[in-house]
Amino acid sequence: MVPLVACGGATRPNRDDSRQQRDEASSADSARSQRDAGDSVSEQGDAGEDVSPRFCTANIAPALYVTFDKQAMACDEFVVVATDGGYTDALKCSDLDTVRCACFGANERPGTYEITVSRREPFVELARSEPITATATSCHVVTQSVVLQFASLPVDAGTSLAPDAAGK
């Protein structure tokens, strides 16, 4: 028995029977949604090793999905950074709707992150999160959704530290 492993699309062993290959691909596609989140059936071989097929989608999962109110500013006026030890990632942000920004990043990277939101001009740190831990399954990182809140700033505010995400 040859285990079928597919990440980013179904792959099949070479066979002469094209119908059998199509049937295997259909079975793999139908099982993908159930197994993608790490919910796979575990079977063990003679030596106790895991011989279950793993089906992973080709999508890239962000470790962090951050939203916050944009306070009458455009989302590109903010800098959102996630740090985990020596790792730093500037999250990609866009308008979620007329009042909120949505940012994502640290793609496929489990870790414990601290997120900071700052205004670009003048540079003012607006919020800092508590540590947020993103774990992973056998296929993808598990995205953590974070909602940050910060007090509005006066127009002439200088560089200062604002309350953290919990408002402290």
Side-chain angles (χ1 to χ4, degrees):
M1 176 179 196
V2 176
L4 174 66
V5 178
C7 286
T11 59
R12 299 178 292 280
N14 291 330
R15 299 230 170 110
D16 293 333
D17 184 0
S18 62
R19 179 179 173 176
Q20 186 173 2
Q21 288 180 356
R22 282 193 307 273
D23 291 344
E24 287 176 4
S26 295
S27 296
D29 289 342
S30 66
R32 179 177 294 137
S33 62
Q34 294 173 357
R35 294 187 180 171
D36 187 61
D39 296 334
S40 63
V41 177
S42 180
E43 299 174 17
Q44 293 186 348
D46 295 335
E49 74 277 8
D50 185 4
V51 295
S52 301
R54 300 275 188 240
F55 300 99
C56 301
T57 59
N59 67 314
I60 296 174
L64 302 168
Y65 177 76
V66 179
T67 59
F68 57 89
D69 289 344
K70 58 184 180 174
Q71 303 181 17
M73 295 172 61
C75 291
D76 63 358
E77 294 180 61
F78 295 96
V79 176
V80 182
V81 176
T83 56
D84 174 24
Y87 174 83
T88 301
D89 188 15
L91 277 58
K92 284 68 175 170
C93 298
S94 61
D95 293 305
L96 183 61
D97 54 33
T98 59
V99 295
R100 294 178 295 166
C101 292
C103 308
F104 62 91
N107 294 340
E108 296 295 359
R109 188 181 184 281
T112 301
Y113 297 94
E114 183 177 273
I115 301 166
T116 58
V117 178
S118 304
R119 188 167 66 181
R120 283 188 197 274
E121 297 291 330
F123 185 83
V124 178
E125 185 175 293
L126 302 172
R128 182 180 298 264
S129 74
E130 296 294 324
I132 298 155
T133 301
T135 60
T137 67
S138 60
C139 290
H140 297 288
V141 70
V142 178
T143 303
Q144 299 299 304
S145 293
V146 180
V147 177
L148 294 177
Q149 296 179 352
F150 42 90
S152 59
L153 295 169
V155 176
D156 61 347
T159 303
S160 65
L161 294 179
D164 65 15
K168 298 177 188 173

